[in-house]
Amino acid sequence: MSSPTIFYALFHSPGPRWNSGTDFRQQDGVGAHIQYMSEQLEAGNLVFGGPFLDDTGGMMILRAEDLESAQTIAAADPTVADGLLLVQVKPWLMAMESFDPK
């Protein structure tokens, strides 16, 4: 039996620069967030993620060495740095799973 895996959940929510009433896809600067997360995916850090459909933010699941590394990745998102999004990072124990995208 293998050990449970620890990932890091990033919870994004609207920041002070968020334009209320504007769809998340239309937010000024959201392209930089998508680009940054695409880079994290290519680097093998991002497991999966995406927006909540009620325009309240989104969630990403990261692979990282530790909480500090995950927080560093989260803080380097240009939309977090410029205030479009806020982010909360929590360690997450993947105790059960049946996800197989293939």
Side-chain angles (χ1 to χ4, degrees), residues 21-90:
T22 300
D23 183 80
F24 68 88
R25 291 169 289 241
Q26 303 302 316
Q27 293 292 328
D28 184 36
V30 77
H33 173 69
I34 294 167
Q35 176 65 36
Y36 181 73
M37 286 301 161
S38 294
E39 291 167 5
Q40 295 308 310
L41 182 66
E42 290 173 20
N45 297 329
L46 181 62
V47 178
F48 51 78
F52 299 128
L53 296 177
D54 62 358
D55 280 344
T56 60
M59 184 180 81
M60 307 291 176
I61 302 295
L62 287 183
R63 286 182 190 91
E65 290 184 31
D66 53 32
L67 179 59
E68 184 178 346
S69 297
Q71 290 170 327
T72 298
I73 291 168
D77 179 335
T79 58
V80 171
D82 78 3
L84 180 65
L85 296 174
L86 302 174
V87 66
Q88 181 181 23
V89 181
K90 292 186 172 194

